[in-house]
Amino acid sequence: MARIHFLTGNAGKVDEAVHHLAPLGHDVVQLSIDGIVEPQAEELETVARAKLEQAKAHLPDPNDWLMVEDAGLFVEALDGFPGVYSSYALSTLGCHGLLRLLDHLHSEDLHVEAGLRRAEFRAVAALMTPQGTFIGEGACLGRIAPALDGEGGFGFDPVFIPRDLDLSGQPAEIGVQGEVSTHGRTFAAVDMDLKGKFSHRTEALQDLLAQLGTADEAASAS
Ligand code: ITT
């Protein structure tokens, strides 16, 4: 099993990665490097791969693994904005500013209005190993709330309401009650355990792990 250097400034993300990867025997350590440039690109994967390329020279041992993870909020009515610019949009517009951008979306029918406010969080986890680079993807479907709700979480959590999930973890249609539900509340208004059940980030890591498992099986069969 390998030592994984996780390039991130966000300690919360490291905790989550340890939670998933330590039980499999991987040793995850945070890697902080000044001066990593995020390219202007529309895809999270492009940004993640560019960060891996810049950081690989900083690995203490070339046999170690390098991981990055990028996430963003994609709002349908804004053609996917803020997307890859989510960190910047959060520090400039903030949650209030995002709500104002959607002020014009109104319908007498609340169900229709909820549909107009569709959005999703997306995450990409990218892992560079001596055997190649693996990309895991995750998404959490939902909508932008009509107003700020909740004190917890971080980032755009106070304005994001996830769609309910059925027992197999699939998102229900907007307005349809599922087994896993925030009952119309935002991520900032529910506890972390409940948010974790919907998490785009968890899904991206699990996708990555599934690919690693397949690659390991193929290597041991050959
Ligand atoms: P890195 O150093 O690893 O890049 P970061 O905190 O900048 O960490 P991301 O690039 O993954 O994180 O996420 C970009 C922004 O997307 C982040 O600042 C939030 O505004 C938003 N975001 C991502 N995931 C979120 C979540 O689960 N809840 C709320 N906002 C989220």
Side-chain angles (χ1 to χ4, degrees):
M1 295 293 125
R3 165 164 282 209
I4 301 178
H5 297 269
F6 189 0
L7 176 72
T8 179
N10 185 330
K13 284 185 172 184
V14 181
D15 292 344
E16 236 179 79
V18 169
H19 178 79
H20 289 282
L21 297 167
L24 303 175
H26 298 297
D27 178 20
V28 181
V29 291
Q30 184 168 5
L31 179 66
S32 302
I33 304 172
D34 287 335
I36 295 285
V37 179
E38 289 205 3
Q40 293 216 329
E42 280 180 21
E43 301 292 333
L44 291 171
E45 182 179 333
T46 313
V47 177
R49 284 184 183 274
K51 284 160 102 176
L52 285 178
E53 279 304 318
Q54 294 172 67
K56 68 181 180 189
H58 296 263
L59 277 185
D61 178 337
N63 288 317
D64 285 351
W65 295 3
L66 176 63
M67 185 165 83
V68 302
E69 195 222 79
D70 264 289
L73 177 65
F74 294 74
V75 180
E76 201 172 287
L78 302 177
D79 288 336
F81 181 83
V84 292
Y85 308 107
S86 293
S87 297
Y88 182 69
L90 185 73
S91 59
T92 48
L93 290 169
C95 288
H96 281 288
L98 181 70
L99 290 180
R100 274 198 301 276
L101 292 181
L102 301 182
D103 264 353
H104 60 292
L105 299 177
H106 283 304
S107 166
E108 294 299 311
D109 181 335
L110 288 182
H111 189 69
V112 170
E113 183 165 323
L116 295 174
R117 300 175 78 88
R118 278 175 198 273
E120 66 186 75
F121 275 121
R122 284 183 214 154
V124 162
L127 182 70
M128 187 183 267
T129 76
Q131 286 71 43
T133 297
F134 299 84
I135 304 287
E137 292 180 329
C140 172
L141 307 187
R143 65 190 151 100
I144 303 300
L148 291 184
D149 173 32
E151 305 288 326
F154 70 97
F156 288 110
D157 280 344
V159 292
F160 185 80
I161 303 172
R163 283 205 225 165
D164 287 6
L165 302 177
D166 66 21
L167 280 179
S168 63
Q170 292 305 307
E173 271 310 308
I174 287 179
V176 173
Q177 177 90 36
E179 272 71 21
V180 184
S181 175
T182 66
H183 302 284
R185 305 294 304 272
T186 68
F187 272 159
V190 300
D191 64 40
M192 273 208 345
D193 279 351
L194 182 53
K195 180 183 169 185
K197 294 190 175 149
F198 298 87
S199 175
H200 43 300
R201 201 166 289 116
T202 304
E203 193 174 287
L205 276 175
Q206 281 170 347
D207 183 18
L208 195 61
L209 289 176
Q211 293 177 45
L212 277 177
T214 311
D216 277 353
E217 278 168 27
S220 47
S222 62

